[in-house]
Every structure is written in C-alpha cells, then in structure tokens.
Amino acid sequence: MTEALFRTDAYLKSATAEIVARTAEGGVVVDRSIFYPQGGGQPGDSGRLVWDGGSCEIASTVKAADGIGIVLVPAEPGPLPREGTKVEMRLDWERRHRFMRMHSALHLLSVVVPLPVTGGQIGFDKSRLDFLMPEVTHEREVIQARLGTLIAEDHPVSERWVSEEALDANPDLVKTMSVQPPRGAGRIRLVRIGSGKTIDLQPCGGTHVRSTAEIGQVRVGKLENKGKQNRRISITLDG
C-alpha cells in the first residue's frame, strides 16, 4: 500500500520515496506519495522524479489496478528506476495549488446552490458542478455574491474521519448523485468548512486549501442547460 503523504499534508512540495514496482504501462509505484492520484473529479498531480543517475518528468498520477498503490506516470518513455531505488518527488506546486483552490471553491458552490450534484470536474482554467435543477432557481449574480462572501469570510478548512456506519446514518452528507465515497476501508474522510458553525461537511478524498480566503477571487459563469433537469455552473479563478 502506498502511504498517502498528501492526505496528512497537502502542502508538501517534495519528499523521498522508494520504488516498489513498475507497471506494464510504463509507470512506477512508490511506497509513499506526495502526488495525488486522479479521482473524485480532481486530476492526478504532475511534477518530477529524481534519483541517483537519472530523472524524469511525471505527467500524471493514477491509482494502481489493485486500488491500494499509487502510480506515477512519466511524460515520455525512457529509463526508469528499478525496484528498491530511492527517489525524490518534486511536485508541480502551482498546478496542484490551483486544483486545491478550485476544489474548495466547488465545495462552497454546493453550499450556495443547495441542490443534488449530478457531476463535476476540476480543471486548471475552469471547474464546474452540474446540479439537479429542472428550472433555473438561482441567478448567476446572486451565486457570485454569496460565493464571494463565503470566500472572504476566511473559514478554516479541516478534515475528520468517520465510520462507514456513521455515514450511513447521515446520508444527506453525500451531495453527489453520480459518485459515492469509496468503501471497504471501514472509514470515510469528511472535509469540513467552518469552525463553530459548519458551512459545509461532506465526504471527499481530494486536496484542499487551509482556509477559504486562500481561494482568492472566483468568477461564476453563466448557467448552462445540460439536459431536461441539469444545469451546469462553471467557475474560473481571477489571478
């Protein structure tokens, strides 16, 4: 199993690891990772891998077929370190931090628009959530204003773990209709926004900023019709 260093410290920009396997597709599995693997609408991290006598650019990160390992995918074919090799992981921090800001902003968007989420995607330039909204019940200008207020209020972002049974007893915590929290480990990670008063609380495996003010200014796009009952709301980051 790969130790998820990004889970305990999403701000870790570099760390050492050991290669534990190489995949038939040309990736390497590490024993510990600062790189987040693609999942939950958040892209896999990129960066650089350095070892004694070599280095390579990492284009993306994915989960191994067994579900418990993390695979670093090189940008180009080339010599890779063998099993047992010690390597240094260097994260593309600008890209990751932008995803963290986007991800936390989308959680706030789900607060401003308290409707079931039918889909979502985090991107570098634009991110979006799709809502079960048969009729337009939220105006873009109102969403923009409320989202900006929540960001400016500088609410802390934290996490805690609960049992799968505890989540089953509180099904309303799951906002996404198309994606359910991963099960089998016996516990579920909850991401909370707010201290004292809870602004948002929902299952999430992704990386987030420490406080909402770190998100910065967000611009809300127009509401797009994506079918009979779906409306898409996109956001971009200013600066």
Side-chain angles (χ1 to χ4, degrees):
M1 176 180 290
T2 301
E3 180 185 359
L5 297 178
F6 56 84
R7 191 78 73 217
T8 53
D9 185 2
Y11 289 78
L12 200 58
K13 301 177 181 66
S14 65
T16 57
E18 181 178 316
I19 303 299
V20 296
R22 297 199 294 185
T23 69
E25 295 77 18
V28 291
V29 183
V30 286
D31 67 337
R32 56 206 301 257
S33 177
I34 60 172
F35 294 88
Y36 175 83
Q38 177 181 343
Q42 182 172 331
D45 283 330
S46 59
R48 189 171 182 80
L49 204 61
V50 179
W51 62 93
D52 187 19
S55 66
C56 71
E57 298 295 324
I58 298 300
S60 185
T61 306
V62 298
K63 294 177 183 177
D66 59 14
I68 60 176
I70 291 178
V71 181
L72 310 185
V73 182
E76 297 178 355
L80 292 174
R82 297 181 179 277
E83 294 180 24
T85 302
K86 301 291 185 181
V87 297
E88 181 186 2
M89 301 170 288
R90 298 176 184 175
L91 182 66
D92 182 342
W93 172 246
E94 180 183 354
R95 181 173 179 267
R96 153 72 85 72
H97 188 239
R98 196 170 181 90
F99 291 153
M100 289 164 61
R101 294 165 61 200
M102 286 285 200
H103 203 155
S104 297
L106 289 182
H107 276 225
L108 291 180
L109 180 60
S110 74
V111 174
V112 175
V113 184
L115 296 172
V117 175
T118 58
Q121 186 64 47
I122 299 165
F124 187 84
D125 295 315
K126 180 187 289 187
S127 299
R128 52 91 175 173
L129 287 180
D130 296 342
F131 294 93
L132 184 62
M133 188 190 301
E135 302 294 334
V136 176
T137 55
H138 294 71
E139 297 296 331
R140 191 199 70 81
E141 293 75 13
V142 175
I143 297 172
Q144 178 76 65
R146 291 180 178 172
L147 186 59
T149 297
L150 286 174
I151 291 172
E153 286 174 344
D154 198 15
H155 298 287
V157 182
S158 59
E159 67 173 57
R160 65 185 177 93
W161 294 82
V162 298
S163 66
E164 294 179 0
E165 292 75 17
L167 183 64
D168 290 337
N170 296 275
D172 289 344
L173 290 177
V174 181
K175 297 184 178 183
T176 53
M177 299 174 63
S178 58
V179 180
Q180 292 295 311
R183 293 176 177 268
R187 62 177 191 162
I188 303 289
R189 177 180 181 250
L190 298 180
V191 171
R192 180 190 182 194
I193 299 178
S195 62
K197 177 185 177 182
T198 298
I199 304 301
D200 184 53
L201 182 66
Q202 60 178 293
C204 181
T207 56
H208 290 268
V209 293
R210 293 190 178 109
S211 68
T212 60
E214 193 175 332
I215 295 170
Q217 293 185 332
V218 170
R219 188 178 303 277
V220 177
K222 66 178 181 179
L223 276 68
E224 300 177 71
N225 190 339
K226 290 297 178 180
K228 263 188 177 181
Q229 300 186 353
N230 286 294
R231 296 292 187 280
R232 175 169 296 175
I233 302 177
S234 298
I235 61 171
T236 56
L237 298 177
D238 285 347

